[in-house]
């Protein structure tokens, strides 16, 4: 802790402490994306010693005095001064080392006093470390969940903070596309003032998840942030608030929510990195990431481009499970949407790739979710696909896409309540999903089924803005507007459907087992046809 005018002296002190083997944190390492008061509180709580550098400027600084008072109350204050200024009360009653004019001489009496005080508080001067070479990053995204700072001032909350680290690490470990450092390794950093960059180099990871816990009465606030330790940028941040009535249930809840957001957040960050490279220099993983980015266009041209990238990835790595499952899904959708010039070939490729993906990755939840839908769209047994989707969710309860697919199958099978619950779970787990349009579409279809046509039209309209190429949305909106008697809107929805698909709108309802829903849907189509005289 120091005033701005003594930044050079503070740097000199920090470097001398690091040379002795201590981990040192200064506020020039404050991340640009977080509230500085919150970060400083975390660091003060984590530090074993707080070194305060007094000067005339520091004695007038409310921040320095506040930090010094916190350290004094925690019995971990070491003081030194770099000019002749008088220390403020009550710090003038505590021993203070004199480092006026100190240039870094480790034999100076004032510096020896500082070192001795550190040894008394911490136990011993650490051996000067031999810096180990940075570990190489794994071939897939890598993350370490760091010890959460306990900001409650209640030592009994340490178990809750440590338990959160273990629960979140366990939840992330279920995501096969991410390499996760075991909690035992990350908890070894507890109480050490190591920067995210230092931790990343020692553990060989790119991403760091930091967090804090603050308790007030029976309520607790958990703040988490995901950082790219290589470039220092923030990827994602969130806060969770709840009661401590059931500690283990709260830990599970937060862990599930965090895991649900981490996977898409990391994937988006990886996609942005992949898009900065030229395709000619890409390996199979980068080609897969570029394919995921191309897929977001969600139209015929975009899916053709996506499949081209995926098949290039599979040519260099034939057993790449994620690419196999995603390619199977893309071929299935090409057939389902009528976007293929060779339907038989499209269906055959979807089935072959799906079965191959199951052979090499039967224990990968995301692959299972893609395969489940690929098999349905290529004419497979829906009950089998539904079991695959439910298995994916059981293996990784934080897999938002798995919940989404399971919800669709429930709705197609006629269990609307269960389907809506699954879709809403998917939306809670991933509030900004790349498939937010389809999520809203199916919530809208449920509202349509319940006769809430105004609500359905609003939801379907939002869904179209997010993903205009999703054919279910156009068909459902045309039928919905037909029931509402909105001739122009029904006509436009029908025309857009015909423009992007070679299918007829009545044909998309064939998968629904609920005969009442099918009749409602077809009646709306007929009304739309009559209103707009559109050939359907």
């Amino acid at each position: 802790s120091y005033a701005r005018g003594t930044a050079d002296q503070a740097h000199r002190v920090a470097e001398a402490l690091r040379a002795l083997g201590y981990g040192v944190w200064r506020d020039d390492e404050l991340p640009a994306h977080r509230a500085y008061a919150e970060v400083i509180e975390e660091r003060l709580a984590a530090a074993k010693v707080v070194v305060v550098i007094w000067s005339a400027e520091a004695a007038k600084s409310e921040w320095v005095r506040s930090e010094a008072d916190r350290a004094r109350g925690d019995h971990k204050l070491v003081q030194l001064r770099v000019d002749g200024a008088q220390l403020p009360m009550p710090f003038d009653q505590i021993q203070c080392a004199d480092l006026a004019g100190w240039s870094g001489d480790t034999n100076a009496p004032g510096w020896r006093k500082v070192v001795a005080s550190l040894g008394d508080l911490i136990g011993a001067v650490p051996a000067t470390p031999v810096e180990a070479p940075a570990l190489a990053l794994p071939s897939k995204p890598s993350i370490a969940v760091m010890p959460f700072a306990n900001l409650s001032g209640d030592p009994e909350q340490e178990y809750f903070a440590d338990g959160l680290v273990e629960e979140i690490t366990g939840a992330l470990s279920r995501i096969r596309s991410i390499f996760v450092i075991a909690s035992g390794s990350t908890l070894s950093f507890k109480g050490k003032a190591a920067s995210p960059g230092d931790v990343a180099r020692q553990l060989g990871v790119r991403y760091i998840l930091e967090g804090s816990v603050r308790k007030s009465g029976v309520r607790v606030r958990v703040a988490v942030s995901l950082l790219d330790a290589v470039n220092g940028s923030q990827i994602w941040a969130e806060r969770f608030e709840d009661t401590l009535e059931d500690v283990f249930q709260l830990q599970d809840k937060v862990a599930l929510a965090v895991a649900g957001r981490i996977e898409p957040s990391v994937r988006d960050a990886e996609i942005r990195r992949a898009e900065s490279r030229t395709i000619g220099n890409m390996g199979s993983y980068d080609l897969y990431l570029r394919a995921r980015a191309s897929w977001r266009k969600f139209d015929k041209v975009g899916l053709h481009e996506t499949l081209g990238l995926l098949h290039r990835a599979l040519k260099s790595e034939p057993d790449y499970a994620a690419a196999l499952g995603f390619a199977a899904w893309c071929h299935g959708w090409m057939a389902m949407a009528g976007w293929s010039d060779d339907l038989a070939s499209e269906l055959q490729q979807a089935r072959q790739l799906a079965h191959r993906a199951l052979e090499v990755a039967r224990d990968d939840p995301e692959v299972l979710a893609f395969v489940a839908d690929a098999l349905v769209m290529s004419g497979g047994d829906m009950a089998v696909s539904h079991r695959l989707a439910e298995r994916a969710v059981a293996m990784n309860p934080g897999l938002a896409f798995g919940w989404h697919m399971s919800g669709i199958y429930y709705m197609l099978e006629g269990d609307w309540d269960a389907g809506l619950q699954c879709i809403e779970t998917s939306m809670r787990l991933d509030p900004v999903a790349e498939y937010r349009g389809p999520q809203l579409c199916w919530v809208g279809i449920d509202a349509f089924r319940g006769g809430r046509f105004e609500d359905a039209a609003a939801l379907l309209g939002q869904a179209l803005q997010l993903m205009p190429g999703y054919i279910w949305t156009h068909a459902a909106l045309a039928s919905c507007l037909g029931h509402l008697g909105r001739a122009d809107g029904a006509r436009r929805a029908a025309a857009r459907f015909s423009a992007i698909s070679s299918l007829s709108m009545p044909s998309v309802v064939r998968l629904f087992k609920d005969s009442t829903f099918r009749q409602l849907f077809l009646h709306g189509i007929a009304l739309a046809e009559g209103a707009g005289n559109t050939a359907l």
Side-chain angles (χ1 to χ4, degrees):
S1 180
Y2 59 97
R4 289 295 108 195
T6 56
D8 289 343
Q9 292 97 319
H11 176 73
R12 194 175 300 123
V13 169
E15 291 306 305
L17 292 174
R18 289 191 178 104
L20 290 172
Y22 289 112
V24 181
W25 186 86
R26 293 171 55 207
D27 63 3
D28 59 353
E29 297 179 35
L30 281 167
H33 62 279
R34 296 186 62 193
Y36 54 83
E38 185 177 88
V39 178
I40 289 173
E41 275 194 298
E42 290 178 7
R43 296 301 179 178
L44 284 170
K48 292 183 177 180
V49 171
V50 177
V51 177
V52 175
I53 301 176
W54 290 111
S55 62
E57 182 185 357
K60 298 175 182 178
S61 168
E62 292 184 4
W63 279 103
V64 175
R65 292 171 71 159
S66 175
E67 291 161 8
D69 193 54
R70 178 76 64 89
R72 183 178 66 90
D74 292 341
H75 306 290
K76 54 184 180 184
L77 171 66
V78 170
Q79 303 186 120
L80 61 92
R81 63 177 153 198
V82 293
D83 59 22
Q86 183 176 358
L87 273 61
M89 296 177 60
F91 306 105
D92 57 351
Q93 303 300 309
I94 304 171
Q95 284 293 318
C96 179
D98 184 5
L99 262 70
W102 186 64
S103 60
D105 180 8
T106 57
N107 290 315
W111 181 249
R112 290 203 303 270
K113 182 179 285 189
V114 170
V115 173
S117 295
L118 290 170
D120 288 343
L121 289 170
I122 296 178
V125 177
T128 303
V130 177
E131 185 172 351
L135 292 176
L137 294 177
S139 58
K140 57 184 178 180
S142 49
I143 185 170
V145 184
M146 300 309 296
F148 279 27
N150 174 19
L151 304 182
S152 305
D154 180 1
E156 292 186 2
Q157 292 308 308
E158 290 292 333
Y159 79 92
F160 176 74
D162 292 347
L164 265 179
V165 172
E166 294 179 357
E167 289 296 325
I168 292 173
T169 301
L172 290 174
S173 297
R174 300 177 188 140
I175 303 173
R176 298 308 176 95
S177 60
I178 298 177
F179 178 86
V180 185
I181 296 294
S183 59
S185 291
T186 58
L187 286 172
S188 69
F189 285 86
K190 187 173 180 177
K192 297 180 181 178
S195 69
D198 290 337
V199 172
R201 284 189 291 273
Q202 291 184 53
L203 297 181
V205 297
R206 184 178 187 97
Y207 300 100
I208 296 291
L209 185 73
E210 294 184 324
S212 63
V213 176
R214 186 191 299 273
K215 178 178 174 288
S216 178
V218 296
R219 297 195 65 81
V220 64
R221 172 185 290 176
V222 179
V224 293
S225 60
L226 178 67
L227 310 175
D228 184 329
V230 175
N231 60 31
S233 64
Q234 178 191 4
I235 306 299
W236 167 76
E238 187 62 87
R239 286 184 176 179
F240 306 89
E241 293 192 27
D242 211 324
T243 65
L244 280 169
E245 293 176 358
D246 188 330
V247 170
F248 298 114
Q249 183 179 25
L250 178 57
Q251 286 178 339
D252 289 343
K253 177 182 176 181
V254 174
L256 182 62
V258 170
R261 288 297 295 123
I262 291 295
E263 192 271 339
S265 298
V266 168
R267 184 176 62 240
D268 287 348
E270 292 285 292
I271 286 173
R272 288 192 293 272
R273 291 199 306 111
E275 287 182 315
S276 67
R277 303 189 184 110
T278 59
I279 291 181
N281 295 326
M282 287 186 176
S284 55
Y285 173 62
D286 288 330
L287 288 166
Y288 170 76
L289 291 174
R290 182 64 71 90
R292 292 294 295 250
S294 178
W295 169 82
R296 292 174 178 175
K297 302 172 187 175
F298 208 78
D299 56 22
K300 184 176 181 178
V301 173
L303 275 192
H304 272 296
E305 180 182 334
T306 298
L307 283 168
L309 291 165
L310 289 172
H311 283 291
R312 282 186 59 184
L314 290 170
K315 185 176 181 180
S316 62
E317 192 174 341
D319 289 342
Y320 190 178
L324 286 167
F326 192 35
W329 186 89
C330 290
H331 281 294
W333 187 262
M334 293 287 286
M336 173 75 186
W339 289 348
S340 176
D341 297 328
D342 188 345
L343 180 61
S345 175
E346 213 74 60
L347 292 171
Q348 182 181 19
Q349 288 192 77
R351 296 187 194 110
Q352 287 178 345
L353 288 165
H355 289 299
R356 180 61 185 149
L358 286 178
E359 288 177 6
V360 299
R362 191 171 290 274
D363 59 348
D364 188 320
E366 187 176 40
V367 172
L368 292 181
F370 275 125
V371 166
D373 207 30
L375 292 176
V376 166
M377 292 187 293
S378 58
D381 187 337
M382 190 183 303
V384 172
S385 289
H386 198 169
R387 287 196 293 272
L388 287 173
E390 289 188 319
R391 184 180 169 202
V393 168
M395 294 171 67
N396 180 9
L399 182 63
F401 184 68
W403 284 105
H404 176 69
M405 294 313 310
S406 191
I408 292 176
Y409 298 144
Y410 273 121
M411 289 185 178
L412 292 177
E413 292 165 353
D415 192 341
W416 294 93
D417 291 341
L420 181 61
Q421 185 176 4
C422 288
I423 298 292
E424 289 177 340
T425 298
S426 172
M427 296 173 77
R428 286 197 299 272
L429 286 170
D430 193 355
V432 290
E434 56 190 350
Y435 50 92
R436 186 70 169 185
Q439 287 175 330
L440 288 172
C441 170
W442 285 92
V443 175
I445 288 174
D446 179 75
F448 170 81
R449 186 268 317 176
R452 304 193 319 275
F453 299 127
E454 290 287 357
D455 291 342
L459 287 163
L460 293 167
Q462 293 177 48
L464 277 182
Q465 291 179 4
L466 294 171
M467 190 170 280
Y470 196 61
I471 63 170
W472 288 98
T473 311
H474 294 284
L477 184 59
S479 179
C480 183
L481 295 177
H483 280 285
L484 289 170
R486 298 180 186 174
D488 291 342
R491 181 166 57 252
R492 286 194 297 270
R496 285 196 295 264
F497 178 91
S498 298
I500 65 172
S501 175
S502 61
L503 303 176
S504 67
M505 279 198 292
S507 68
V508 303
V509 80
R510 72 184 189 279
L511 290 175
F512 288 91
K513 295 183 179 179
D514 184 343
S515 59
T516 302
F517 173 81
R518 290 201 305 269
Q519 291 173 6
L520 180 70
F521 182 89
L522 293 172
H523 182 52
I525 295 297
L527 290 172
E529 182 179 22
N533 295 317
T534 303
L536 303 178

